Amino acid sequence: MTETIHITVENELGEVRLLEIPDGIDLSLMEVLKASDYDILATCGGMALCATCHIQVVEGMDVLAPRSDAELDMLDTLPDADDRSRLACQIRLKPALDGLKIRIFANN
Ligand code: FES
């Protein structure tokens, strides 16, 4: 059975959009955001090395896998990161993420 994963995304202007992603596409959240036309540079290609896919989790932190040491090290380099920060490339889509709410940051 195919489930749909709903993710609410707020951009840097406060505009909110609901993404509906079919389960089973095996992508990272970063790849889904890029495919949804968000301005995510992802210059490292998802290796947790550039931090341009930084997001803030508004709701659903508890359903995400814990941050790896590599992700934490990269987030530590960001002045605007806090304990709700994640690298979107390190989040694999799965049905448990249904209902996740995130905020993305402007690339500058
Ligand atoms: Fe580079 Fe996520 S894409 S850290």
Side-chain angles (χ1 to χ4, degrees):
M1 190 183 87
T2 306
E3 295 181 61
T4 303
I5 305 167
H6 301 85
I7 298 182
T8 305
V9 182
E10 180 181 336
N11 71 8
E12 63 276 14
L13 302 174
E15 296 164 347
V16 176
R17 192 168 139 202
L18 179 66
L19 303 183
E20 298 187 353
I21 306 132
D23 178 31
I25 55 174
D26 193 29
L27 293 176
S28 70
L29 181 57
M30 174 274 280
E31 291 166 311
V32 166
L33 292 172
K34 279 181 79 78
S36 304
D37 294 326
Y38 285 105
D39 184 21
I40 306 278
L41 290 177
T43 41
C44 77
M47 305 291 290
L49 292 173
C50 71
T52 59
C53 66
H54 176 208
I55 61 156
Q56 192 179 43
V57 178
V58 179
E59 269 179 43
M61 201 69 180
D62 48 327
V63 299
L64 299 175
R67 295 177 281 203
S68 68
D69 287 346
E71 182 175 356
L72 283 168
D73 285 349
M74 190 47 58
L75 288 169
D76 268 350
T77 69
L78 300 175
D80 53 356
D82 60 23
D83 58 0
R84 306 194 72 81
S85 290
R86 297 297 307 248
L87 297 178
C89 67
Q90 300 302 299
I91 297 174
R92 299 307 294 182
L93 286 188
K94 55 183 182 184
L97 299 193
D98 187 41
L100 186 71
K101 291 188 181 155
I102 65 163
R103 189 174 293 134
I104 61 174
F105 294 84
N107 276 312
N108 44 38

